[in-house]
Amino acid sequence: MLVLLPPSEGKAASGRGAPLKPESLSLPGLAAARAAVLDELVELCVADEGKAREVLGLSEGLRGEVAKNAELRTAGTRPAGEIYTGVLYDALDLASLDAAAKRRAGKSLLVFSGLWGAVRVGNRIPSYRCSMGVKLPGLGALGAYWRGPLAEVMPEAAGDGLVLDLRSSAYAAAWKPKGEVAERTASVRVLHSQRVDGVEKRSVVSHFNKATKGRLVRDLLVSGARPKGPAELVGTLRDLGYVVEAEAPARSGRAWSLDVVVTEIH
């Protein structure tokens, strides 16, 4: 099983470990594209703080993020699973997993990134600020830039098992499974169900959407379940206590759509 995750906007501070070693990152087929984004991002942040803040969409209060980017090549690193914070990663709580679940996380979790394309949670990276929605002056919109490189490496990374897609829309646009890979891909959204004047209403609640996805991944890792495809995933999630509504694709070569329905927001 391969689980595709979005990064977090906020990130923990860089660690005290050795600086970035690009050759150590997973998916080596992305190396050239990563180098190009890293070079332009660092150059931009070193040369012109004001322009860098404009390009990155940062307020005056976040000017420290520009200085952080300027030092990406020399900053300390820590595992990506520790760098990414926020609601989804708090609910996932990788640090508290037992040894077996941590091994599963290292093999199955892949975090998409505007700077790195995609990394595994065990890859050591520095803290940075560069979303997939950024448009760099030289390379252009990163969502479009990454489509080619990711299309080359992701089919192999997906292997022959289930692909569980929990990415937000900006990151999902950077790589869309096609053909046979799509047929074993399940994308998930979380819906909050409540009754208003006796009528059920459903809505997407951003905070709880992220928290539920984090708990869902954690439960899969802890259980050791290895669903082979979307249909089996539905059964596994129901066994784990989730209310799941599944929609098989109408045509071949398309991904499954799964709705996880919740009634409480916490």
Side-chain angles (χ1 to χ4, degrees):
M1 178 174 65
L2 182 68
V3 181
L4 312 181
L5 297 175
S8 58
E9 191 72 15
K11 299 173 182 67
S14 294
R16 296 183 178 180
L20 175 70
K21 296 180 179 178
E23 69 278 6
S24 71
L25 300 180
S26 299
L27 307 183
L30 298 177
R34 287 170 177 152
V37 178
L38 180 63
D39 286 348
E40 183 168 356
L41 181 62
V42 170
E43 182 179 348
L44 172 67
C45 292
V46 168
D48 190 332
E49 180 193 288
K51 183 176 181 180
R53 284 201 294 110
E54 180 182 352
V55 169
L56 297 172
L58 302 175
S59 65
E60 173 69 24
L62 292 174
R63 62 190 305 170
E65 298 294 289
V66 176
K68 179 195 295 185
N69 283 348
E71 299 176 352
L72 282 172
R73 291 195 182 89
T74 57
T77 59
R78 60 200 300 184
E82 297 177 13
I83 289 289
Y84 296 117
T85 58
V87 176
L88 188 154
Y89 291 90
D90 285 347
L92 176 53
D93 195 9
L94 287 168
S96 69
L97 292 174
D98 62 32
K102 283 181 178 176
R103 286 194 296 271
R104 296 183 196 110
K107 293 178 180 178
S108 63
L109 305 188
L110 194 65
V111 184
F112 277 62
S113 163
L115 175 54
W116 314 115
V119 292
R120 297 198 182 273
V121 292
N123 289 166
R124 298 189 67 92
I125 58 173
S127 186
Y128 67 96
R129 189 66 170 247
C130 184
S131 74
M132 194 66 82
V134 164
K135 184 177 181 179
L136 292 175
L139 296 177
L142 291 178
Y145 171 80
W146 279 112
R147 285 176 197 149
L150 287 168
E152 291 291 326
V153 304
M154 283 305 301
E156 180 178 354
D160 57 3
L162 170 70
V163 178
L164 175 55
D165 191 352
L166 303 179
R167 297 172 296 167
S168 54
S169 57
Y171 292 89
W175 179 66
K176 295 183 179 181
K178 296 181 179 180
E180 181 270 336
V181 178
E183 292 176 2
R184 48 188 169 85
T185 296
S187 61
V188 173
R189 67 175 179 172
V190 179
L191 298 178
H192 176 223
S193 172
Q194 55 184 332
R195 300 197 73 82
V196 180
D197 297 328
V199 179
E200 183 192 26
K201 293 188 176 181
R202 293 181 175 185
S203 59
V204 177
V205 181
S206 178
H207 177 96
F208 195 56
N209 173 58
K210 296 174 183 177
T212 300
K213 287 179 177 179
R215 285 192 288 270
L216 183 152
V217 174
R218 181 182 177 86
D219 288 344
L220 286 171
L221 293 172
V222 170
S223 72
R226 300 180 65 181
K228 296 179 180 179
E232 189 173 333
L233 173 66
V234 172
T236 298
L237 292 178
R238 287 173 177 166
D239 289 343
L240 291 171
Y242 291 91
V243 176
V244 182
E245 296 177 355
E247 181 180 342
R251 292 185 292 172
S252 61
R254 299 293 181 89
W256 283 56
S257 297
L258 274 58
D259 285 341
V260 174
V261 183
V262 297
T263 56
E264 297 181 1
I265 297 177
H266 58 86

